[in-house]
Amino acid sequence: MKRESLWEISVTTSLEAEEAVVETLANFFGKSSSIYTNEETKVTVVSVFCTKREEWTPRKRSALAARLKLIASTGLDIGVGKISMRRVAKEDWSESWKRHFKPIEIGSRLLIKPSWIKRAAKKNQAVVVLDPGLSFGTGNHPTTAFCLHELAINREPKSAQSFWDLGTGSGILAIAAAKLGYAPVRAVDFDPEAVRVARENARQNGVLQKIKIEREDLTQIRQTSRDKYAFICANLISNLLIAEKVRIVNRLQTSGRLVLAGILKEEFSQVQIAFEKCGLKLVSYKIDGEWCSGAFIFSS
């Protein structure tokens, strides 16, 4: 019987640049990362796993090398910065995740944990059980954590709050929103594999019936819509956010909150200006390594 294989693309780096490399690989491949650090040498290896060899092209390798140079130019010690690729057995990959992922608490309202950890939730704490997979989004990444934190602290238990998740990946934000009581919840992604994974994760968390998960291209949806959301999360690249700002803002309720995440620190000001021209103002933000995320509301 033929063993299923995956392709592991790795970057050897340092502890200092670990988070920046994690987010870079997430943006390049749309997948969550595995992280291994040698405690003696402090050398860190960040890896993503692809199902097809064709996902790793010479052009993508050159672009990744250029991005690593950009990270180094910000002053971060990127270490060796070596890029490598190897074939691994799927069974070996699935077991390797268990060494790297631990429960994540978002205040007292939300707990994200893998299925193999038997940690009980606190009183009134919503639980999302999510095993790392080939689609991005486990809560370990700073941009995802910012979105989760904003979702948790802005939930008003006695109010009706709808949620739209743009670029859902693993579905973690939509699942967390449903668990916290947001309704209705809608999640979209351009990648059909991400949509499949998000639906499966929602099913395993018992909220599939509470979330509408669809494959959709943001650039192709109608410019305006009657559907308005109390909360929107868009974890997308800055170019796409700026180009489609009108489509996004037109779906935000007057009293709503928009969270934009996964933006390079040096590009965030451009995104901020673009959305301020649409009548929004920045009310909170967080810089983590080379990445910046922010929350916006309509100016009064």
Side-chain angles (χ1 to χ4, degrees), residues 109 150-161 180-182 230 255:
R109 291 190 175 186
E150 286 289 315
L151 272 173
I153 66 171
N154 289 288
R155 174 68 186 120
E156 300 171 12
K158 295 182 180 180
S159 300
Q161 291 172 282
L180 288 166
Y182 286 86
S255 58

Side-chain angles (χ1 to χ4, degrees), residues 146-147 150-151 231-235 257-261 293-296:
F146 180 83
C147 293
E150 286 289 315
L151 272 173
F231 204 115
I232 298 175
C233 276
N235 196 343
R257 194 176 192 88
L258 170 64
V259 173
L260 305 178
S293 305
F296 297 77

Side-chain angles (χ1 to χ4, degrees), residues 2-299:
K2 187 177 180 181
R3 298 178 73 189
E4 289 188 72
S5 296
L6 296 170
W7 299 94
E8 178 184 14
I9 293 92
S10 301
V11 175
T12 304
T13 184
S14 67
L15 275 173
E16 182 179 329
E18 175 189 303
E19 289 184 356
V21 174
V22 165
E23 293 296 336
T24 295
L25 289 178
N27 277 359
F28 265 79
F29 295 95
K31 306 173 190 297
S32 50
S33 300
S34 170
I35 306 164
Y36 170 76
T37 301
N38 185 305
E39 290 302 320
E40 293 183 2
T41 64
K42 302 303 179 184
V43 171
T44 296
V45 179
V46 182
S47 305
V48 293
F49 297 85
C50 301
T51 56
K52 297 178 181 179
R53 174 67 176 82
E54 294 76 20
E55 292 182 68
W56 182 235
T57 63
R59 183 177 179 180
K60 184 169 281 190
R61 191 186 192 289
S62 296
L64 178 57
R67 181 54 61 88
L68 294 177
K69 286 183 179 179
L70 178 61
I71 294 173
S73 72
T74 66
L76 285 177
D77 174 16
I78 203 167
V80 177
K82 179 184 176 183
I83 301 171
S84 60
M85 185 271 289
R86 70 185 180 109
R87 193 173 187 171
V88 295
K90 198 168 185 178
E91 307 87 79
D92 295 340
W93 163 82
S94 61
E95 285 302 311
S96 73
W97 283 107
K98 295 185 179 182
R99 297 194 298 268
H100 306 298
F101 284 84
K102 307 246 181 331
I104 301 164
E105 277 193 297
I106 309 296
S108 61
R109 291 190 175 186
L110 188 62
L111 173 66
I112 314 290
K113 68 171 189 173
S115 62
W116 59 83
I117 292 181
K118 308 303 180 184
R119 177 169 172 175
K122 296 176 181 176
K123 185 178 179 180
N124 299 322
Q125 190 175 51
V127 181
V128 175
V129 177
L130 193 70
D131 291 341
L134 295 179
S135 288
F136 172 66
T138 60
N140 285 269
H141 304 287
T143 54
T144 308
F146 180 83
C147 293
L148 288 167
H149 180 263
E150 286 289 315
L151 272 173
I153 66 171
N154 289 288
R155 174 68 186 120
E156 300 171 12
K158 295 182 180 180
S159 300
Q161 291 172 282
S162 52
F163 176 63
W164 190 29
D165 182 14
L166 275 168
T168 193
S170 67
I172 183 172
L173 299 182
I175 294 167
K179 292 269 189 171
L180 288 166
Y182 286 86
V185 177
R186 185 178 176 219
V188 299
D189 203 291
F190 181 72
D191 181 2
E193 177 62 13
V195 171
R196 185 194 67 77
V197 170
R199 286 175 179 163
E200 178 59 22
N201 285 333
R203 186 191 65 77
Q204 290 180 357
N205 278 274
V207 293
L208 183 58
Q209 300 306 314
K210 296 181 179 181
I211 308 173
K212 186 176 182 180
I213 305 173
E214 299 176 301
R215 180 181 183 273
E216 194 162 58
D217 183 349
L218 176 61
T219 67
Q220 299 301 312
I221 66 173
R222 296 181 62 173
Q223 193 85 351
T224 59
S225 173
R226 291 181 181 179
D227 295 329
K228 305 287 183 180
Y229 298 90
F231 204 115
I232 298 175
C233 276
N235 196 343
L236 304 169
I237 60 175
S238 59
N239 289 354
L240 183 58
L241 288 172
I242 293 171
E244 306 305 331
K245 60 185 184 296
V246 174
R247 284 189 170 88
I248 297 171
V249 174
N250 279 346
R251 286 163 173 76
L252 185 66
Q253 291 179 5
T254 304
S255 58
R257 194 176 192 88
L258 170 64
V259 173
L260 305 178
I263 304 164
L264 284 170
K265 183 172 60 177
E266 62 267 24
E267 296 175 357
F268 187 82
S269 61
Q270 301 169 35
V271 175
Q272 181 180 347
I273 291 169
F275 280 83
E276 285 177 345
K277 287 180 179 178
C278 292
L280 299 180
K281 66 178 180 180
L282 182 69
V283 291
S284 69
Y285 71 96
K286 183 176 182 179
I287 296 173
D288 200 314
E290 66 166 341
W291 303 96
C292 186
S293 305
F296 297 77
I297 61 172
F298 279 107
S299 300

